[in-house]
Amino acid sequence: MEIKAEINTVITEPAENKQVQLREEDGERQIAIGMDGLSCDYLMCALTKGEKSTPSPQEVMFNCLLCLKANVEKVVIDDLIDMVYRASIFIKDARENRTYTLKMSPIDALILATVAECPIFILGEVFDKSKEETSKTDVERAFENLDPKKSTKM
């Protein structure tokens, strides 16, 4: 089930640990997605409607979509695999009255959603997976992915 979410916080410091925190709109659950410095700058500019010398790739994409009579309907954070979030964007083509679903990195999708002013959703199962993944230790994760045929018994 898709749960409407919003950007709750953008953590810009320290330099090596930038992230955006998304929270369900009418609840307490949240997820955090890491990003690089440039993506953080693009996201902050989109959120604050700040001035830049050149448009971000997401702004260029959004403008191209508008020229083609298409729009971003929504962004969905739809999976978490090996501690990496996955996202899809839903693009409505008004010429053919057709919706396309495209996979995109979650940070790029969130920047695009901010530029396009479209809703953000997170699948309920992603909240569940996130809770499970963050509660595991690094050792538990390592053993989970261990191939018994490649290990040595002591």
Side-chain angles (χ1 to χ4, degrees), residues 99-112:
T99 300
Y100 297 90
T101 304
L102 304 171
K103 292 292 187 184
M104 185 177 241
S105 81
I107 293 301
D108 288 332
L110 291 172
I111 297 167
L112 182 59

Side-chain angles (χ1 to χ4, degrees), residues 94-134:
R95 298 168 300 174
E96 298 177 18
N97 196 27
R98 183 173 169 187
T99 300
Y100 297 90
T101 304
L102 304 171
K103 292 292 187 184
M104 185 177 241
S105 81
I107 293 301
D108 288 332
L110 291 172
I111 297 167
L112 182 59
T114 305
V115 169
E117 297 179 357
C118 75
I120 300 167
F121 295 91
I122 302 172
L123 292 186
E125 64 193 47
V126 172
F127 281 117
D128 298 337
K129 283 183 177 181
S130 176
K131 187 176 179 182
E132 290 171 18
E133 289 289 322
T134 55

Side-chain angles (χ1 to χ4, degrees), residues 3-6 8 21-32 122 127 130-131:
I3 299 165
K4 192 157 189 199
E6 59 191 4
N8 184 43
Q21 294 178 337
L22 301 173
R23 186 186 70 215
E24 64 182 320
E25 201 168 72
D26 296 321
E28 297 295 319
R29 294 182 296 179
Q30 57 185 8
I31 63 172
I122 302 172
F127 281 117
S130 176
K131 187 176 179 182

Side-chain angles (χ1 to χ4, degrees), residues 83-96:
M83 296 294 292
V84 178
Y85 289 96
R86 312 287 189 209
S88 297
I89 59 171
F90 292 77
I91 297 173
K92 176 77 172 194
D93 181 346
R95 298 168 300 174
E96 298 177 18

Side-chain angles (χ1 to χ4, degrees), residues 30-73:
Q30 57 185 8
I31 63 172
I33 303 173
M35 63 184 150
D36 62 34
L38 188 57
S39 295
C40 184
D41 291 345
Y42 287 150
L43 181 58
M44 290 304 297
C45 280
L47 287 167
T48 62
K49 309 227 184 299
E51 294 288 322
K52 300 180 296 307
S53 58
T54 59
S56 71
Q58 296 82 5
E59 289 171 306
V60 172
M61 181 179 183
F62 179 64
N63 289 331
C64 288
L65 289 170
L66 291 178
C67 289
L68 296 170
K69 306 231 184 299
N71 201 5
V72 183
E73 285 189 324

